[in-house]
Amino acid sequence: MTEQSDPLVTELDPVIHAQARLRVVSALSVLREDDRITFPQLQESLRMTAGNLSVHLRKLEDASYVEVTKTHHGRTPATLVRLTRRGRLAFDDYTAALRALLNP
């Protein structure tokens, strides 16, 4: 028996679907569209190591889902993160697809 492709079944975005990236995008989605969070704040809220968070942010950045800005506050370097419009739309599509899977 072969599986038939169902046009009503929506694929979950593999970039967002990874657990750590889903947590990142979910955390960023609660911010207003132009708001940014510092890397340490995001790291602390997600309880991720700096290296792990960096890897997942890079993957999200490569997909244009997040924007990472390196700047300075006075003499102190700061890394700011925000969800892009494309990232918000992808997360909205992801959550809609997930709802469709859970409530067919």
Side-chain angles (χ1 to χ4, degrees):
M1 180 178 196
T2 62
E3 265 187 52
Q4 299 267 333
S5 135
D6 185 345
L8 297 178
V9 174
T10 304
E11 293 286 323
L12 295 174
D13 185 332
V15 175
I16 295 176
H17 192 63
Q19 180 185 2
R21 290 191 296 272
L22 177 57
R23 291 175 57 219
V24 170
V25 173
S26 180
L28 294 174
S29 73
V30 299
L31 301 174
R32 291 181 304 202
E33 194 164 324
D34 289 329
D35 283 352
R36 290 168 168 72
I37 187 170
T38 66
F39 183 93
Q41 288 173 318
L42 184 59
Q43 179 188 355
E44 183 179 325
S45 72
L46 296 173
R47 296 186 179 156
M48 295 174 74
T49 65
N52 194 21
L53 180 55
S54 292
V55 166
H56 290 293
L57 284 175
R58 171 63 63 178
K59 190 84 161 170
L60 291 165
E61 191 176 27
D62 289 347
S64 299
Y65 290 176
V66 300
E67 178 183 270
V68 178
T69 306
K70 296 188 183 279
T71 187
H72 286 83
H73 289 141
R75 293 179 181 227
T76 306
T79 300
L80 304 174
V81 183
R82 79 173 186 91
L83 195 59
T84 64
R85 180 177 299 268
R86 181 175 180 171
R88 285 185 187 281
L89 292 173
F91 184 63
D92 289 346
D93 290 347
Y94 179 88
T95 55
L98 193 55
R99 281 189 196 99
L101 287 171
L102 296 173
N103 297 311

